[in-house]
């Protein structure tokens, strides 16, 4: 075991504070990563607050990890010391079920191992990226292409893949009208990626506060959902809506914005259930779908796509002492557009 500095929530809803954790020794197929940057995802906040149910404490959040390999196990073939790498939301899975074999490790039926707030195969709690180092099996590590700076690449490991995967799966591209609902961490990546895929992109945000940014990031249109007229004007418009909203919302109202047989792909993970009048999907033969992050190979594909298109996240780099303040700003939809922790400050 090696002791490393980290930031942890000691208990549910408690502020995060500096502490130390133990990382396992580098095993046969492990890489030791010197973490340089860790993004703050809204999922970190849901979990620290136990908004999704009982959680494991102390909790070191962080599943948007970018760093450099500093040691490799004897059986490692994919990475070498000095490689620039990333780790996202999972650090292991069963590797044998149909989903693992199909590259959908995130839906592992044996249960994938989350990067934090989970138990690994030995029953030990996992600790995430708000730390100086992490030890991960090479099969759950991805390569960060040279063209991408590590700080703006970190958020791609969750916000990037979580929007890329549904955009690809439901055919965002030339001739398609795509709406991104919510322009926070995930949403702003959705705008950039959908634009790069060639779709006509609309942002649906609570207000017009971030309109200039949205248009700069690649949106063609920008509307405020607080304005009822938006729902009248845009009725029946979209082939695909990707919802990134972190709070319960009126799904029926958004389904009405889809074309016949359009799809609303939800990636937001609010803490409370939502209710829906099912006539909203029956009429127009619409699909209400969900999507969770992406597989390891798809995450690599997304990183390569982002490097090719010059896409990184828009970030606000913070020191570890500012994590609690950053959480409050995320909760107030005051993030532009991802907080990234400089882990040298931990
Ligand atoms: P975020 O940066 O806080 O962005 C969420 C955005 O949702 C806000 O910026 C805001 O956009 C909008 N919003 C927030 N509260 C709202 C409300 N009451 N009504 C309407 N809109 C509201 O969060 P994030 O990191 O992008 O994560 C978004 C959600 O996705 C979280 O629930 C997170 O847990 C979940 N998530 C899911 C996956 C997955 O695999 N499915 C992966 C990562 C995260 P505007 O200001 O533009 O209105
Ligand atoms: Zn996340």
């Amino acid at each position: 075991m090696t002791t490393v500095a980290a930031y942890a929530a000691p208990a549910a809803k408690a502020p995060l504070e500096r502490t130390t954790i133990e990382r396992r020794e580098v095993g046969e197929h492990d890489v030791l990563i010197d973490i340089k940057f860790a993004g703050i995802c809204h999922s970190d906040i849901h979990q620290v607050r136990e908004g999704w149910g009982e959680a494991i404490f102390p909790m070191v959040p962080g599943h948007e990890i970018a760093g450099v390999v500093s040691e490799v196990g004897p059986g490692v073939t994919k990475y070498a010391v000095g490689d620039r790498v990333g780790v996202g939301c999972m650090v292991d899975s069963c590797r044998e079920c149909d989903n693992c074999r199909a590259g959908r490790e995130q839906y592992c039926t044996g249960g994938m191992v989350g990067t934090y707030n989970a138990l690994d195969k030995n029953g030990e709690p996992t600790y995430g990226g708000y730390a100086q180092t992490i030890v991960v099996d090479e099969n759950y590590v991805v390569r960060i292409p040279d063209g991408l700076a590590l700080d703006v690449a970190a958020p791609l490991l969750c916000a990037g893949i979580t929007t890329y995967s549904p955009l690809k799966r439901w055919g965002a591209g030339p001739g398609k009208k795509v709406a991104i609902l919510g322009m926070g961490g995930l949403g702003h990546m959705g705008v950039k990626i959908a634009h790069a895929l060639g779709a006509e992109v609309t942002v649906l945000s609570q207000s017009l506060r971030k309109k200039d940014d949205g248009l700069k990031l690649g949106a063609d249109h920008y509307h405020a959902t607080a304005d009822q007229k938006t729902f009248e004007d845009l009725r029946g418009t979209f082939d695909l809506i990707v919802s990134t909203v972190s709070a319960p919302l009126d799904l029926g109202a958004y389904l009405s914005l889809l074309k016949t047989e359009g799809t609303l792909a939800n990636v937001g993970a609010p803490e409370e259930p939502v209710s829906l009048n099912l006539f909203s999907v029956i009429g127009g033969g619409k699909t209400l779908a969900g999507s969770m992050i992406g597989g390891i190979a798809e995450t690599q594909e997304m990183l390569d796509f982002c490097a090719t298109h010059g896409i990184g996240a828009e970030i606000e780099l913070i020191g570890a002492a500012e994590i609690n303040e950053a959480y409050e700003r995320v909760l107030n939809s005051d993030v532009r557009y991802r907080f990234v922790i400089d882990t040298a400050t931990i």
Side-chain angles (χ1 to χ4, degrees):
M1 293 288 205
T2 307
T3 304
V4 300
Y7 257 68
K13 300 188 177 74
L16 279 79
E17 55 191 39
R18 190 174 188 278
T19 186
T20 56
I21 53 167
E22 301 294 317
R23 292 298 193 195
R24 69 170 183 259
E25 292 307 318
V26 177
E28 177 82 13
H29 299 287
D30 285 341
V31 299
L32 172 65
I33 300 167
D34 185 5
I35 300 175
K36 301 292 186 193
F37 300 101
I40 293 179
C41 178
H42 203 122
S43 302
D44 300 346
I45 304 173
H46 289 305
Q47 289 175 89
V48 162
R49 297 184 174 222
E50 279 195 328
W52 292 342
E54 200 180 328
I56 301 168
F57 293 95
M59 183 189 297
V60 177
H63 57 211
E64 293 186 335
I65 299 170
V68 176
V69 175
S70 58
E71 191 184 330
V72 297
V76 168
T77 58
K78 296 179 181 165
Y79 300 102
V81 171
D83 285 356
R84 301 160 79 252
V85 294
V87 176
C89 298
M90 58 189 160
V91 288
D92 210 345
S93 65
C94 84
R95 310 173 191 211
E96 286 166 2
C97 70
D98 289 348
N99 286 334
C100 283
R101 286 178 193 277
R104 295 188 299 250
E105 300 91 345
Q106 76 274 32
Y107 303 128
C108 171
T109 51
M112 62 90 154
V113 178
T115 304
Y116 67 89
N117 191 22
L119 297 177
D120 68 16
K121 282 177 180 164
N122 299 320
E124 297 295 330
T126 56
Y127 296 117
Y130 301 4
Q132 289 173 331
T133 68
I134 191 168
V135 179
V136 184
D137 184 293
E138 64 170 335
N139 293 302
Y140 297 82
V141 173
V142 287
R143 187 176 297 278
I144 297 179
D146 284 340
L148 281 176
L150 290 182
D151 54 356
V152 300
L156 302 181
L157 276 303
C158 176
I161 184 60
T162 301
T163 47
Y164 179 85
S165 185
L167 286 166
K168 286 282 284 200
R169 179 169 165 202
W170 282 285
K176 291 290 167 68
K177 292 190 178 186
V178 173
I180 304 292
L181 179 50
M183 205 172 84
L186 266 55
H188 94 287
M189 289 310 311
V191 171
K192 288 188 176 205
I193 292 169
H195 174 69
L197 288 167
E200 184 179 330
V201 183
T202 299
V203 174
L204 301 173
S205 182
Q206 292 169 92
S207 72
L208 295 179
R209 256 184 330 137
K210 298 179 270 191
K211 179 174 178 179
D212 290 349
D213 290 346
L215 298 179
K216 265 187 226 137
L217 300 184
D220 301 285
H221 317 280
Y222 202 105
H223 296 273
T225 55
D227 184 352
Q228 198 46 44
K229 200 166 170 300
T230 294
F231 293 89
E232 292 155 24
D233 293 349
L234 299 180
R235 196 178 170 78
T237 300
F238 302 109
D239 297 284
L240 173 66
I241 299 173
V242 177
S243 174
T244 72
V245 173
S246 50
L249 76 168
D250 180 359
L251 285 178
Y254 293 98
L255 285 160
S256 77
L257 304 184
L258 290 173
K259 287 180 183 169
T260 300
E261 294 190 346
T263 297
L264 193 166
N266 178 76
V267 297
E271 298 175 8
E272 297 85 28
V274 295
S275 70
L276 176 66
N277 182 329
L278 286 169
F279 281 96
S280 311
V281 283
I282 294 173
K286 292 165 185 171
T287 299
L288 173 60
S291 185
M292 192 173 84
I293 47 173
I296 297 295
E298 192 180 28
T299 303
Q300 187 64 61
E301 176 189 307
M302 174 278 306
L303 286 169
D304 296 342
F305 175 89
C306 286
T308 303
H309 292 270
I311 295 175
E314 302 298 307
I315 66 164
E316 202 173 314
L317 195 62
I318 61 166
E322 297 164 87
I323 291 172
N324 295 304
E325 193 186 320
Y327 275 24
E328 289 305 318
R329 285 186 51 198
V330 172
L331 287 167
N332 292 325
S333 299
D334 182 25
V335 51
R336 304 201 178 196
Y337 284 89
R338 202 56 143 182
F339 289 108
V340 172
I341 303 160
D342 178 351
T343 55
T345 64
I346 288 178

